[in-house]
Structures are given as structure tokens and as C-alpha cells.
Amino acid sequence: QVQLVESGGGLVQAGGSLRLSCTASGRTFSNYAMAWFRQAPGKEREFVAGISWSGGSTYYADSVKGRFTISRDNAKNTMYLQMNRLKPEDTAGYYCAADPRGKPESPTSYHYWGQGTQVTASS
């Protein structure tokens, strides 16, 4: 089992920045590829960014490319999402996920999830 806990969400003005963290406990963190997803009210959960177990490969949704950066520190069992130039449309609950068993952009592929942290970018 892997337990994931997100932190770092909050309310910022459009154009501002936030850094989300996802801290893992349980099984060896560095074994797993991981990702960030988000879900706005009334919408489906959507892929934001993913990272390989080593951190050597990263990939992003087109909507956040150039503004968000995913990273991880395996020594600290923590994954990060640096979010810059936030837009009102980035407002959502943000969730970290680990151990994909299929397409990494699909939420149904993931075995472990955190409870989420809310990000609100006001216009």
C-alpha cells in the first residue's frame, strides 16, 4: 500500500503561482511513476502532468505546458507541481496519483490516489 497526501493548495490571483506537494508513505516511493490530475466541479478528472520513477521523463497536458513543472525528490518521498501564471480555468481540486497500470494520461490507470488539495485562481 502507498498513502499519498497533497498539500500547498490555496487561493491566488490570476497570474500568480503555487507549488503543490505530494508526500508518499508506505511502499518504496521511487518504484512508481506518478502524476497530477485535476477535477473542476461538474467536470471529469483530467490529466495535468506525469513523471517517471526516476524523474528523467516528464510530460504535460497542452493546457499547462510552459506554465507548470512537475518534479520529484525520491529521497524525500515527495512529488511537486510548480504552477506559474495561473489562470481562472486552472481552478480545480488537484490530486496526485501513483503506479499507473495502463495509459498514464488516463485516471483509470492509477492504483493509488491522494485526497486532493483545492487550487483557486481568481480573476
Side-chain angles (χ1 to χ4, degrees):
Q1 281 288 68
V2 174
Q3 291 78 43
L4 303 173
V5 178
E6 302 95 336
S7 62
L11 172 64
V12 295
Q13 287 191 329
S17 299
L18 283 173
R19 188 175 83 154
L20 305 184
S21 299
C22 172
T23 301
S25 60
R27 290 190 174 180
T28 306
F29 175 78
S30 60
N31 286 350
Y32 302 113
M34 299 188 69
W36 287 98
F37 287 78
R38 66 187 182 187
Q39 188 168 19
K43 294 189 176 182
E44 294 186 352
R45 191 165 293 191
E46 65 173 0
F47 172 80
V48 174
I51 189 166
S52 62
W53 66 270
S54 67
S57 296
T58 58
Y59 41 100
Y60 299 90
D62 287 343
S63 59
V64 307
K65 204 171 291 183
R67 299 187 298 123
F68 291 10
T69 303
I70 189 171
S71 62
R72 67 190 294 165
D73 185 340
N74 286 344
K76 295 183 178 180
N77 287 355
T78 302
M79 176 179 67
Y80 304 98
L81 185 68
Q82 177 67 45
M83 305 185 295
N84 297 330
R85 291 183 280 135
L86 281 160
K87 303 176 181 180
E89 51 263 44
D90 295 319
T91 295
Y94 282 71
Y95 299 85
C96 64
D99 193 18
R101 306 290 177 92
K103 294 180 180 180
E105 296 85 4
S106 172
T108 60
S109 297
Y110 286 82
H111 197 58
Y112 301 108
W113 288 90
Q115 297 114 307
T117 186
Q118 179 67 31
V119 171
T120 303
S122 63
S123 57

